[in-house]
């Protein structure tokens, strides 16, 4: 999981050079905490973190 | 409208939290809509937090999963979880010369004086009080808390 980078805009964890969610290239490998959202419409965590799509996200970015 | 879910702690082998979370997420996709999210929090090492409607979903999820050592009987409320999700950075309230207390990292609990503030990088450089030689260390903005002046 360490090789994954987090998008600075939407916090999605990705294994490439471009975020598939927001299509930005501003990525960081300095992140911690993992959040896997399975059901964004029913999840209280997803609502709090303003996540709209299922997937893996970082909780904190540096 | 989001229904009220509960947060369950699954005890796992230390340093395997992310591996377990990914395995559980993979298994949870087969249990339609019962598990809402899975969290790995640095503040709670050795545990994975699962957001679900009921306990039954967790039990069927963790059975036979490698590195899982059991489930904690009690559950957490959303308020307890949400304070780990949004860390408050005190950097906006700080000025150079302020006395702060370090709240994270190897110098946790130590008092220090703010030497410089880098707001764009959310970093603070502080000088520790306790050290014999003045040592400046740079820490993230959410690792310090301003000490109230004594009256």
């Amino acid at each position: 999981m360490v090789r994954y980078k987090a998008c600075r805009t939407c916090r999605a964890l990705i294994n490439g050079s471009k975020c598939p969610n927001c299509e930005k290239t501003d990525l960081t490998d300095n992140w911690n905490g993992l959040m896997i959202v399975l059901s964004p419409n029913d999840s209280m965590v997803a609502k709090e973190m303003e996540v709209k799509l299922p997937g893996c996200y970082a909780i904190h970015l540096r | 409208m989001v229904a009220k879910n509960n947060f369950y702690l699954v005890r796992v082998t230390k340093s395997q939290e992310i591996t377990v979370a990914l395995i559980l997420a993979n298994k949870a996709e087969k249990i339609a809509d019962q598990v809402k999210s899975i969290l790995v929090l640095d503040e709670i090492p050795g545990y994975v937090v699962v957001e679900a409607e009921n306990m039954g979903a967790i039990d069927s999820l963790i059975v036979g999963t490698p590195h899982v050592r059991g489930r904690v009987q009690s559950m957490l409320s959303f308020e307890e979880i949400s304070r780990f999700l949004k860390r408050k950075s005190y950097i906006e309230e700080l000025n150079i010369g302020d006395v702060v207390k370090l709240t994270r990292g190897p110098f946790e609990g130590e008092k220090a004086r703010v030497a410089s503030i880098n707001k764009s990088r959310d970093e603070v450089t502080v000088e520790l009080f306790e050290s014999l030689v003045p040592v400046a260390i740079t820490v993230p903005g959410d690792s310090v808390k301003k000490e109230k002046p004594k009256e």
Side-chain angles (χ1 to χ4, degrees), chain A residues 1-2 4 9 14 17 22-23 27 43 47 56:
Chain A
M1 207 65 191
V2 177
Y4 283 75
T9 310
I14 44 180
S17 56
C22 56
E23 299 196 338
L27 310 174
S43 167
K47 196 183 171 198
C56 291

Side-chain angles (χ1 to χ4, degrees), chain A residues 15-62:
Chain A
N15 193 12
S17 56
K18 192 177 179 185
C19 175
N21 293 354
C22 56
E23 299 196 338
K24 292 197 174 152
T25 52
D26 188 9
L27 310 174
T28 175
D29 49 14
N30 200 353
W31 56 271
N32 56 39
L34 170 71
M35 168 175 65
I36 305 172
V37 176
L38 300 162
S39 181
N41 296 330
D42 305 327
S43 167
M44 295 162 83
V45 168
K47 196 183 171 198
E48 176 79 6
M49 301 296 278
E50 294 165 15
V51 169
K52 305 263 184 330
L53 295 167
C56 291
Y57 296 85
I59 296 177
H60 301 292
L61 301 180
R62 288 259 178 264

Side-chain angles (χ1 to χ4, degrees), chain B residues 71-88:
Chain B
R71 173 176 61 74
V72 176
Q73 286 297 324
S74 57
M75 53 196 178
L76 298 173
S77 67
F78 178 64
E79 287 70 33
E80 286 169 303
I81 292 296
S82 65
R83 67 191 170 100
F84 296 120
L85 300 177
K86 294 206 169 164
R87 276 188 208 148
K88 193 181 176 192

